């Protein structure tokens, strides 16, 4: 295969790679689906139908398994096929502003244009240098917590990361689905691990007949154990992010506000942070239905009651200035009446 491929001209080779690109992005998803299909066959057919002899145990295992299986599939489907949300039209520059920025190479002019365009926009974050966050590729002012995804080649609202296992960007529109996908996949693996444990022990003690089911049970047990370990760490990390109201990107680089960097700028407290992702109605929390609060373009911060332009000023500084001004007036009054 390698010699044949190497004989293809460079331009044609690049064209073939671009055509194959969309399919290659789906390889991780197809891998997960194939593992899931095999696990269904191994658990339902080989374990429940052929190995478990007790009817009551068989029915309980089948009902519970299909419950976890369906919730896993539902949340995984929603994570994959929910389109990431992009900034609304109000964040795009006007045609005249785009022309001006293209004509003027000076960064000062660019910042003046962006400040004027962002004057009425609900943005609190800045770049490290204090400038307005702007995307050259999409030609728009970035809303708070919005980032440009190089894989999707577009700006994603409240972007968390681009996940190859779902071939999609995880952001504001599907972050709840991604969390539920992790939760139900972990429960799915733990359930298989727990219910297969006794049969796995029987395998090692030669309590199972030497049939095809024996090997399916063994490999499924090991697969469930390995996936449980990796999923528990990943799910635990995202639970911590939700409790702090952070995205993965914000955990690595704290957001910058007008007064400076603040890693807890969006932290509203555990309860409010949880509702930001799952919504106000608890009956929908465990369902892959969109219930997240807000529009994805603006977010409440713990700085909402502060004057952001003067946030770096000490609290008592203004009071001291007021007292000094009063003393100055008294001094002038005394001098004039001497």
């Amino acid at each position: 295969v390698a010699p044949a491929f190497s004989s293809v001209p460079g331009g044609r080779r690049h064209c073939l790679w671009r055509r194959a690109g969309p399919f290659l992005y789906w390889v991780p998803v197809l891998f997960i689906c194939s593992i899931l299909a095999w696990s269904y066959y191994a658990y339902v057919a080989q374990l429940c139908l052929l190995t478990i002899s007790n009817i009551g145990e068989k029915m309980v295992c089948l009902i519970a398994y299909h419950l976890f299986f369906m919730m896993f599939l539902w949340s995984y489907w929603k994570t994959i096929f929910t389109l990431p949300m992009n900034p609304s039209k109000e964040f795009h520059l006007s045609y005249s502003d785009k022309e001006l920025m293209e004509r003027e190479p000076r960064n000062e002019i660019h910042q003046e244009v962006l400040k004027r365009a962002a004057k009425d926009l609900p943005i609190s974050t800045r770049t490290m240098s204090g400038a307005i966050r702007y995307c050259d590729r999409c030609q728009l002012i970035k809303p708070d917590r919005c980032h440009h995804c190089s894989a999707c080649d577009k700006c994603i609202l409240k972007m968390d990361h681009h996940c190859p296992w779902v071939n999609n960007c995880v952001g504001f529109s599907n972050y709840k689905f991604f969390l539920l996908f992790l939760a139900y996949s972990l429960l799915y693996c733990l359930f298989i691990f727990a219910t297969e444990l006794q049969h796995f022990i029987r395998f090692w003690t030669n309590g199972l007949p030497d049939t095809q089911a024996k090997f399916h049970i063994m490999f499924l047990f090991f697969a469930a154990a390995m996936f449980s370990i990796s999923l528990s760490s990943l799910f635990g990390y995202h639970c911590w992010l939700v409790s702090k109201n952070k995205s993965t990107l914000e955990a690595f680089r704290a957001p910058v506000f007008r007064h400076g960097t603040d890693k807890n700028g969006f932290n509203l407290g555990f309860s409010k942070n949880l509702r930001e992702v799952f919504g106000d109605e608890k009956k929908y929390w465990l369902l892959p239905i969109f219930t997240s609060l807000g529009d994805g373009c603006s977010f409440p911060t713990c700085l909402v009651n502060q004057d952001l332009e003067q946030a770096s000023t000490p609290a008592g500084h203004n009071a001291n200035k007021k007292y000094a001004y009063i003393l100055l007036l008294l001094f002038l009054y005394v001098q004039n009446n001497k």
Side-chain angles (χ1 to χ4, degrees):
V1 176
F5 182 76
S6 61
S7 63
V8 178
R12 187 181 171 192
R13 185 188 310 165
H14 180 69
C15 183
L16 290 174
W17 175 256
R18 289 185 61 186
R19 290 180 182 178
F23 171 76
L24 293 176
Y25 293 145
W26 285 101
V27 170
V29 177
L30 295 176
F31 173 75
I32 294 294
C33 292
S34 62
I35 292 292
L36 192 62
W38 166 74
S39 68
Y40 184 89
Y41 168 76
Y43 192 89
V44 173
Q46 297 294 333
L47 177 64
C48 293
L49 299 181
L50 298 179
T51 304
I52 299 177
S53 56
N54 186 285
I55 299 297
E57 180 185 356
K58 183 180 297 188
M59 292 302 296
V60 169
C61 287
L62 284 173
I63 292 172
Y65 173 84
H66 281 92
L67 176 62
F68 290 123
F69 182 77
M70 293 306 297
M71 295 306 294
F72 177 19
L73 275 184
W74 187 8
S75 56
Y76 190 43
W77 175 275
K78 294 284 286 186
T79 307
I80 294 173
F81 294 105
T82 299
L83 294 177
M85 288 179 63
N86 312 120
S88 55
K89 292 182 179 179
E90 61 179 334
F91 290 91
H92 290 259
L93 292 183
S94 64
Y95 180 76
S96 58
D97 287 339
K98 290 179 184 178
E99 276 196 332
L100 180 58
M101 291 189 66
E102 288 175 0
R103 288 198 310 265
E104 288 287 345
R106 290 177 295 174
N107 188 55
E108 298 83 3
I109 302 298
H110 290 183
Q111 280 303 304
E112 288 299 323
V113 172
L114 294 177
K115 284 181 179 179
R116 185 177 67 251
K119 182 177 61 175
D120 299 322
L121 294 178
I123 55 174
S124 303
T125 54
R126 297 290 187 267
T127 64
M128 293 297 294
S129 62
I132 302 294
R133 298 172 65 242
Y134 177 73
C135 179
D136 294 313
R137 294 280 296 175
C138 302
Q139 293 187 318
L140 56 82
I141 295 171
K142 293 181 182 179
D144 293 343
R145 316 184 81 174
C146 174
H147 297 275
H148 187 88
C149 176
S150 57
C152 299
D153 196 25
K154 60 181 68 174
C155 284
I156 308 297
L157 294 181
K158 196 187 175 184
M159 180 180 172
D160 188 87
H161 68 287
H162 186 91
C163 181
W165 299 107
V166 299
N167 190 27
N168 200 2
C169 234
V170 178
F172 176 75
S173 60
N174 62 352
Y175 187 62
K176 177 189 174 183
F177 306 148
F178 178 74
L179 284 174
L180 292 179
F181 157 62
L182 293 180
Y184 286 123
S185 57
L186 178 59
L187 289 174
Y188 178 78
C189 292
L190 289 175
F191 174 79
I192 291 176
F193 178 85
T195 53
E196 275 207 346
L197 181 59
Q198 59 174 321
H199 302 284
F200 182 76
I201 294 173
R202 289 174 58 195
F203 165 78
W204 283 108
T205 57
N206 295 321
L208 287 178
D210 193 11
T211 61
Q212 186 182 13
K214 182 177 181 177
F215 298 99
H216 280 289
I217 292 171
M218 180 186 70
F219 288 119
L220 184 59
F221 181 84
F222 277 121
M226 288 188 297
F227 277 108
S228 295
I229 295 171
S230 59
L231 285 169
S232 60
S233 59
L234 184 58
F235 180 63
Y237 175 68
H238 278 278
C239 286
W240 176 80
L241 290 177
V242 171
S243 70
K244 300 295 183 180
N245 204 344
K246 294 181 180 181
S247 66
T248 299
L249 294 175
E250 291 166 352
F252 285 96
R253 177 178 290 180
V256 181
F257 296 87
R258 296 179 187 179
H259 68 282
T261 303
D262 193 334
K263 63 180 181 179
N264 294 314
F266 295 107
N267 191 348
L268 307 175
F270 179 77
S271 178
K272 290 184 178 180
N273 293 343
L274 198 63
R275 293 174 186 274
E276 281 279 306
V277 176
F278 291 96
D280 290 326
E281 299 190 53
K282 295 182 179 180
K283 61 183 178 181
Y284 297 125
W285 281 11
L286 299 181
L287 298 177
I289 300 172
F290 183 79
T291 55
S292 300
L293 300 181
D295 58 0
C297 292
S298 60
F299 299 88
T301 69
C302 60
L303 315 167
V304 69
N305 294 323
Q306 298 183 23
D307 184 355
L308 296 180
E309 294 290 355
Q310 300 177 358
S312 59
T313 305
H317 185 65
N318 290 334
N320 293 334
K321 286 176 64 178
K322 185 185 296 184
Y323 293 139
Y325 183 70
I326 293 173
L327 289 174
L328 178 62
L329 289 177
L330 288 172
F331 175 79
L332 293 174
Y333 176 78
V334 171
Q335 290 294 324
N336 290 333
N337 286 286
K338 278 185 177 181

